[in-house]
Amino acid sequence: MARRALRPVCATVGALAVATGSAAAHVDYVTEETAPGSAAELFAAVMSSPLALALLAGGGASVAVAALGYLRFSASLRDVEVARRTLASYRPYLPWMLRLSVGLPLVGAGFSGYLFSPTVTADARLLQVGIGFLLLFGLLTRVVAAVGLLAYLWALAGAFPELLLASEYVAGFLGIFVVGPGQPSADMMLRRIVAAEGTLLSRFRWFPKPEDVLSELGLTQGTAPLLIRVFLGANFVYLGVVQKWLQPAQAAAVVEKYGLTAVVPVSPELWIFGAGLTEAVVGVFLLTGTFTRGTATAAFVILTTTLFGLPDDPVLAHVTLFGLSSALMVTGAGALSLDGTVIPALRRRIGAGAGGGERPAV
């Protein structure tokens, strides 16, 4: 069933990849457009610096040590078990989290005069405010999410390839479409009126429930984590590889504008390469479902530090990223993930090899 649900995911990923190739012009949130830089020069500058290589190796070693420590001790630490169970207990609030994460920035985008992303100036107030308020209210939730997704894809494929900067909306709309309105929502209230005896709306009980129809297509609530992390991961990979590595001149302008080399005294090239590498690794971990809750937490921290480091960065444009990262903290990886296959086996093997014995994964 999960493989059937993955087919539309693969199709949309392919469409986004084609759109990436056509995104010739780069526009960023906080700097003016500049001439494209050379990715080859960026890599050469970093790889020819012993200090940069040492710092990158140290960072990689730190990540490896943290991963091994988690594999070795997570099953025996009561703190990890309680934290995981507590996060999982928030699952009933997932629909509301997703609706807020997408609805609020859409309302803000409509009133601010941009289309999904601050990089695209367009008068779409009625569309975005309407979709946003309906999602916040939880009325016709799945229909509205489908309309929002189609509007985004239409704009992306039509005239605004730079909307790839806001591709997290795909994850948000798909997540809402799969999990439904949840509660509190107007849809849930109407459903209860339909189910009650003696109400006028009870005559519509024959109408099939949306989740039953979606279940026949292989799209259950358990599919939501997969959809969210795949498209959120793709967004992080795009931001790291395309926006940092392949267009370093724009990233260098950001480093210079905010004096980031004074915050961490390294070369601008290492700043750009390191930022791109961090975002790309977070994206790959999300795509593959590797240490998903920890990776989502890291993504949340990265976004937070970015907002503090770039004071005029539009906060509202990142609300969806914050919300989706939080959602993955709650859900974990879901289906088709290394967290569900390789990671438990490694945990048992490393625990047994260190004399810790096997413990069931929580």
Side-chain angles (χ1 to χ4, degrees), residues 257-334:
K257 177 178 179 179
Y258 297 103
L260 298 181
T261 54
V263 179
V264 179
V266 297
S267 67
E269 292 82 5
L270 183 55
W271 251 106
I272 298 166
F273 186 87
L277 179 63
T278 300
E279 291 177 337
V281 169
V282 166
V284 170
F285 273 34
L286 291 177
L287 282 167
T288 57
T290 306
F291 304 120
T292 303
R293 285 191 170 96
T295 302
T297 303
F300 195 96
V301 172
I302 291 170
L303 291 167
T304 303
T305 54
T306 299
L307 295 180
F308 279 104
L310 309 180
D312 56 352
D313 201 35
V315 177
L316 194 61
H318 297 298
V319 168
T320 302
L321 288 171
F322 277 107
L324 295 177
S325 299
S326 301
L328 288 178
M329 294 181 206
V330 172
T331 66

Side-chain angles (χ1 to χ4, degrees), residues 107-356:
V107 172
F111 281 110
S112 299
Y114 62 82
L115 181 64
F116 292 107
S117 168
T119 62
V120 178
T121 302
D123 185 11
R125 176 178 299 189
L126 181 61
L127 172 68
Q128 294 183 113
V129 173
I131 292 174
F133 271 125
L134 286 172
L135 289 178
L136 293 174
F137 196 52
L139 181 62
L140 301 175
T141 305
R142 285 189 168 95
V143 173
V144 172
V147 170
L149 177 60
L150 291 175
Y152 171 84
L153 294 177
W154 176 82
L156 174 65
F160 306 110
E162 58 269 33
L163 280 179
L164 278 173
L165 282 170
S167 59
E168 69 272 11
Y169 275 106
V170 177
F173 285 130
L174 286 175
I176 293 170
F177 185 78
V178 171
V179 303
Q183 55 183 352
S185 68
D187 285 341
M188 186 59 67
M189 180 187 67
L190 291 173
R191 179 175 297 185
R192 290 182 177 178
I193 294 175
V194 170
E197 295 291 341
T199 62
L200 294 176
L201 294 181
S202 62
R203 66 188 65 184
F204 294 102
R205 287 182 189 171
W206 59 270
F207 200 80
K209 295 180 180 179
E211 53 266 28
D212 294 336
V213 177
L214 292 176
S215 180
E216 291 295 323
L217 300 174
L219 294 173
T220 65
Q221 287 204 7
T223 315
L226 170 64
L227 296 172
I228 293 171
R229 65 176 173 81
V230 164
F231 287 102
L232 183 61
N235 180 267
F236 271 98
V237 171
Y238 174 80
L239 292 175
V241 174
V242 177
Q243 296 291 298
K244 305 296 191 306
W245 288 355
L246 299 185
Q247 301 184 32
Q250 187 74 13
V254 175
V255 172
E256 180 180 0
K257 177 178 179 179
Y258 297 103
L260 298 181
T261 54
V263 179
V264 179
V266 297
S267 67
E269 292 82 5
L270 183 55
W271 251 106
I272 298 166
F273 186 87
L277 179 63
T278 300
E279 291 177 337
V281 169
V282 166
V284 170
F285 273 34
L286 291 177
L287 282 167
T288 57
T290 306
F291 304 120
T292 303
R293 285 191 170 96
T295 302
T297 303
F300 195 96
V301 172
I302 291 170
L303 291 167
T304 303
T305 54
T306 299
L307 295 180
F308 279 104
L310 309 180
D312 56 352
D313 201 35
V315 177
L316 194 61
H318 297 298
V319 168
T320 302
L321 288 171
F322 277 107
L324 295 177
S325 299
S326 301
L328 288 178
M329 294 181 206
V330 172
T331 66
L336 302 178
S337 67
L338 295 184
D339 281 346
T341 54
V342 175
I343 300 302
L346 287 175
R347 186 188 293 116
R348 290 192 296 269
R349 191 167 189 175
I350 292 175

